[in-house]
Amino acid sequence: MVDFVSFPPLSSATEDGLLAMGGELNLNTLVSAYSQGIFPWFNHDQPILWWSPDPRLILYPDEMKVSRSLRKVLRQNRFTVTCDRAFAEVIKGCAIRGSNKPFTPMPETWITDDMHRAYVDLFEHGYAHSIEVWLGNRLVGGLYGVVLGKVFFGESMFSEVSNASKVAMAALCNWLRQRDFAVIDCQVASDHLFTLGAREIPRDDFMQYLQDVEIGQSSHHFGADFTCHFP
């Protein structure tokens, strides 16, 4: 059972969305934060920073834009897509993305060791989930996030080969659409996510999707019967 942790009212956030500093990256705090529309984001040399930006970037699962080139990749069935098979490895991939040397940690990554441990704990308790993209037996891309109610809170994605992260996002959108999920939280504006169909909405509108979230109810079975079929 998760013990609810209160945060300051969202109206007290700064113009860029900073709401609070400090606290702990434990299960209670993280699940409570997401249920209140708040997420952590900070560098290794900073205190824990908690954010709730307005407007909020979101993606409706049935509005992802699949380009002609990506559609061709999906039809080729070059990749294998799974769910919750390699959660810790996906976080590691997200932490080192952009590095010229594979599996060499980036010194400025915001996915610190503490963040890594915290989200693995969320995964083990059924709140966090990953989508993995494989080329043969090699993990080449993926994404991870938190699930509460019918909202998927996207955290990060990575790609070691062209289109791998887009394949992961397309698979996620198909999966969420089949299960009547309301929205994917993309947090803050990103040119890349705009090209995939993400849009900004007022924070108050986003909070409507969290009205019925029960923080004590995990999503252990989120990907239990995961299958990947692209239309």
Side-chain angles (χ1 to χ4, degrees):
M1 185 67 179
V2 173
D3 294 324
F4 186 76
V5 177
S6 294
F7 280 79
L10 301 188
S11 59
S12 65
T14 63
E15 185 176 350
D16 59 357
L18 180 60
L19 180 67
M21 293 187 292
E24 299 181 12
L25 288 175
N26 59 32
L27 182 72
N28 292 331
T29 306
L30 285 168
V31 175
S32 298
Y34 282 105
S35 73
Q36 296 170 74
I38 302 161
F39 59 88
W41 185 27
F42 59 98
N43 290 326
H44 66 96
D45 58 349
Q46 295 176 319
I48 301 172
L49 303 178
W50 302 92
W51 303 80
S52 186
D54 187 14
R56 190 81 166 218
L57 190 71
I58 59 94
L59 174 63
Y60 294 112
D62 61 351
E63 290 189 0
M64 179 180 172
K65 295 178 181 178
V66 179
S67 66
R68 184 178 300 177
S69 60
L70 178 57
R71 202 172 295 278
K72 181 178 179 180
V73 170
L74 297 176
R75 287 199 300 266
Q76 290 173 342
N77 292 318
R78 180 185 177 201
F79 299 107
T80 300
V81 185
T82 60
C83 180
D84 290 348
R85 297 281 183 86
F87 184 86
E89 290 81 359
V90 168
I91 294 186
K92 183 177 181 180
C94 293
I96 66 174
R97 64 181 179 175
S99 174
N100 291 326
K101 296 181 180 179
F103 302 106
T104 300
M106 295 172 63
E108 299 301 322
T109 181
W110 62 271
I111 304 177
T112 63
D113 289 344
D114 287 344
M115 287 281 276
H116 190 285
R117 285 190 291 268
Y119 281 83
V120 168
D121 190 41
L122 284 177
F123 171 72
E124 291 175 347
H125 283 84
Y127 290 99
H129 301 276
S130 59
I131 301 293
E132 304 93 15
V133 179
W134 307 84
L135 190 58
N137 294 322
R138 177 187 168 203
L139 180 67
V140 295
L143 59 83
Y144 74 97
V146 173
V147 173
L148 290 177
K150 291 295 185 179
V151 178
F152 186 96
F153 300 85
E155 276 300 313
S156 190
M157 63 175 66
F158 83 102
S159 183
E160 289 189 0
V161 300
S162 180
N163 290 308
S165 62
K166 293 180 182 178
V167 170
M169 180 64 81
L172 174 67
C173 286
N174 281 349
W175 185 247
L176 298 181
R177 185 170 59 248
Q178 293 168 17
R179 277 146 188 79
D180 297 320
F181 267 66
V183 69
I184 300 171
D185 173 31
C186 301
Q187 300 180 345
V188 295
S190 157
D191 290 340
H192 173 63
L193 290 170
F194 280 133
T195 67
L196 296 181
R199 65 167 81 172
E200 290 183 315
I201 64 172
R203 181 173 58 206
D204 287 347
D205 290 356
F206 173 72
M207 292 304 297
Q208 292 298 312
Y209 295 115
L210 304 181
Q211 292 299 308
D212 298 324
V213 162
E214 297 180 16
I215 68 168
Q217 183 176 351
S218 70
S219 52
H220 267 295
H221 302 296
F222 171 77
D225 56 346
F226 180 84
T227 55
C228 183
H229 298 295
F230 297 106

